[in-house]
Amino acid sequence: MGFFQQIRKALIALVLVLVLSTATACGGATTAQSPTSLPGNTGSLAYSQLERGNSAAGQEFGAWVVQTAKGLVQDAYVRDDNKLGVVITPQVNPNEVKDLARSLAQGFHHNFPNQDVSVLVYAPDKKLILTAKYDQQSNKIDYKAG
C-alpha cells in the first residue's frame, strides 16, 4: 500500500471519528415506527421504502451520517437505537471498510451510550459485507465479514 493511500486511510478514519464523536444527534422522545426489520430481512417491503430510523433520534442520526460522510455513505438507517446500517459508495476502497466501520461504531456508541451497538456495512449493491459489534463493557469492536 502506497504512502499516500495510508495517509488517506488514516485521515478518513480520523475525520469520521472526530466528526461522529463531537456531533450529537439530538432527538425527542423515541417512538417506534414500522418497519423494524433490517434491509437484509425486509420481506415484501422494498429497500427504498425504509426510513433512516425507527425513532426520532435514529432518523436524525441516520440523516446526519449520510450528510457528514462526504460521499462515503450513500444511505444509512438506525433501528432500535442500537443498529446502524450504512450503504457505502463505490468510492470506498475495500481496505478502508473496516476503518470506516470502526469510526461509525465509535460515533454511534457516543450518540447512543450505555449499550452495545452494531454497525452493518453494505456494499453499493446492498449486500452485507461487514458487521462491527461494539461491546460497551470491554470497549472493543468485533468484526464479522459478510
Side-chain angles (χ1 to χ4, degrees):
M1 180 181 314
F3 177 72
F4 290 108
Q5 287 178 332
Q6 288 178 336
I7 294 290
R8 178 178 178 230
K9 186 177 174 182
L11 284 175
I12 287 172
L14 179 64
V15 167
L16 281 171
V17 167
L18 290 174
V19 171
L20 291 173
S21 65
T22 59
T24 305
C26 299
T30 58
T31 56
Q33 300 174 358
S34 292
T36 58
S37 60
L38 300 174
N41 217 1
T42 57
S44 63
L45 187 63
Y47 177 81
S48 63
Q49 293 174 312
L50 291 175
E51 299 175 16
R52 295 250 188 249
N54 63 346
S55 71
Q59 285 186 11
E60 288 180 29
F61 189 79
W64 180 84
V65 166
V66 173
Q67 180 183 13
T68 308
K70 302 199 187 298
L72 297 177
V73 174
Q74 67 184 19
D75 197 9
Y77 69 91
V78 175
R79 294 291 178 263
D80 305 325
D81 292 340
N82 67 358
K83 293 176 200 74
L84 170 64
V86 295
V87 179
I88 59 174
T89 63
Q91 287 76 25
V92 177
N93 292 325
N95 59 348
E96 297 172 338
V97 172
K98 189 173 180 181
D99 288 336
L100 177 61
R102 180 180 62 241
S103 297
L104 289 168
Q106 290 169 341
F108 188 45
H109 179 260
H110 178 78
N111 284 282
F112 296 91
N114 303 321
Q115 63 181 330
D116 296 340
V117 296
S118 297
V119 175
L120 294 87
V121 181
Y122 295 87
D125 63 358
K126 316 288 191 290
K127 291 185 181 176
L128 181 63
I129 55 176
L130 183 69
T131 300
K133 293 188 177 192
Y134 185 99
D135 182 274
Q136 185 210 321
Q137 208 167 28
S138 67
N139 282 337
K140 296 198 187 269
I141 302 173
D142 291 318
Y143 302 93
K144 181 181 175 191

